[in-house]
Amino acid sequence: MRDAARDPAALEPLELLRVQRGRLADRMRPPWWYLPGAAIVWGLFFAGPFTSRSFSSPMAVSTWAILVPAVAVCFLLQWGLVRATGLKVGPGPLRVLQDGLFSYRPGRPAGIAIALVSFTGLGAEAALIRHGLPGAAIAVAALAVAAEVAAQRALLRAIRQDLRGGGGAA
Amino acid sequence: MTGGGTAKPDALIHPITRLSICGLLAAGADWVEFAALRDAAGISDSVLSKQSRVLEDAGYVEVRKGAVGRRPRTWLRLTPEGRRAVEGHLAWLAQLEQAVSAGIRDAREAGPIPSDRDQPLPSDRDQPRRVLPPPLLGGT
């Protein structure tokens, strides 16, 4: 250790590892279809208050007509992202159930933001629909979708930073 | 930069290729696909295949094989034992890096090494200047 400490060549493995982690992190860039797909999922999610359960209008659709495509597109997007990047990042559904929704440290701020926008967006939409302002509810839904997509981008950025930094391993 | 484990070198991980594989698997992703690992590490298919088998036999890496359509896909991840070993080894390397950096800093603080263009040392001043012989104009 004493002799190695005088040898600058001892730095090379860590420097190399930093470069390689940078390459791995660069793979975690979403394909062109990922964020538009995420916008569709969030659009379906925020269309929830317009279903026949809470929105008494002939134009209202059933809850299942929104829920099933939303879940299907969500799974398709995650599968496609894993296939395109070659990386499975974050806990699986079982680990989320076991350790909690925000157990994945790098994604925690973005995850909290996503949850907050979801609850406040849905609440505001429901309140506006009750007060007979469906136009304003649609505007709120559009804003919420934009905010969710921005949070999703922030989540991917945080994952890239975590990969570049070594995920706390070193 | 120190990781969670105790700083401890691991002979199995120390070779640069295995260190790259393990370091990349410990970077934060749960599973990493064979091609992604190969490209990030900058090694060939055969090298990755051989070294990952060594790590798998040692119980450091878990390998899962699957297929997407007709194309086979291999996924790799660290086992808990492998993660402990990698974190310990990386912490040891980080300590080494700090020691090297401290050594370089100490050397810089000690002052610059005088070059030929600097003032001659007092002992050199008394020495007669060496004059190079003129180049030979003609051969004999």
Side-chain angles (χ1 to χ4, degrees), chain B residues 57-86:
Chain B
D57 290 344
Y60 282 10
V61 166
E62 189 182 340
V63 178
R64 198 166 71 184
K65 290 180 192 286
V68 178
R70 287 184 179 182
R71 292 178 62 187
R73 293 256 175 163
T74 304
W75 293 84
L76 298 100
R77 80 165 171 187
L78 284 175
T79 59
E81 188 194 346
R83 189 167 290 278
R84 269 194 301 277
V86 175

Side-chain angles (χ1 to χ4, degrees), chain B residues 28-127:
Chain B
D30 193 16
W31 289 92
V32 182
E33 211 251 320
F34 187 90
L37 195 59
R38 178 200 61 202
D39 294 347
I43 53 178
S44 65
D45 282 0
S46 57
V47 170
L48 177 55
S49 186
K50 189 180 165 188
Q51 300 301 335
S52 63
R53 197 164 300 135
V54 172
L55 291 165
E56 190 186 8
D57 290 344
Y60 282 10
V61 166
E62 189 182 340
V63 178
R64 198 166 71 184
K65 290 180 192 286
V68 178
R70 287 184 179 182
R71 292 178 62 187
R73 293 256 175 163
T74 304
W75 293 84
L76 298 100
R77 80 165 171 187
L78 284 175
T79 59
E81 188 194 346
R83 189 167 290 278
R84 269 194 301 277
V86 175
E87 284 176 356
H89 192 78
L90 290 176
W92 175 74
L93 277 175
Q95 280 182 2
L96 203 61
E97 185 184 42
Q98 281 176 356
V100 170
S101 303
I104 292 167
R105 202 169 45 243
D106 289 349
R108 280 190 188 144
E109 281 169 5
I113 300 163
S115 66
D116 291 344
R117 289 181 184 177
D118 290 341
Q119 290 285 327
L121 293 169
S123 57
D124 293 342
R125 221 171 271 157
D126 303 330
Q127 297 281 330

Side-chain angles (χ1 to χ4, degrees), chain B residues 14-34:
Chain B
H14 194 62
I16 193 75
T17 315
R18 283 185 221 147
L19 180 69
S20 294
I21 295 167
C22 291
L24 287 169
L25 290 175
D30 193 16
W31 289 92
V32 182
E33 211 251 320
F34 187 90

Side-chain angles (χ1 to χ4, degrees), chain A residues 33-34 73-83 89 152:
Chain A
W33 43 261
Y34 184 76
V73 176
C74 189
F75 274 101
L76 209 61
L77 278 178
Q78 285 312 309
W79 178 80
L81 185 67
V82 167
R83 206 184 148 184
V89 183
Q152 200 104 32

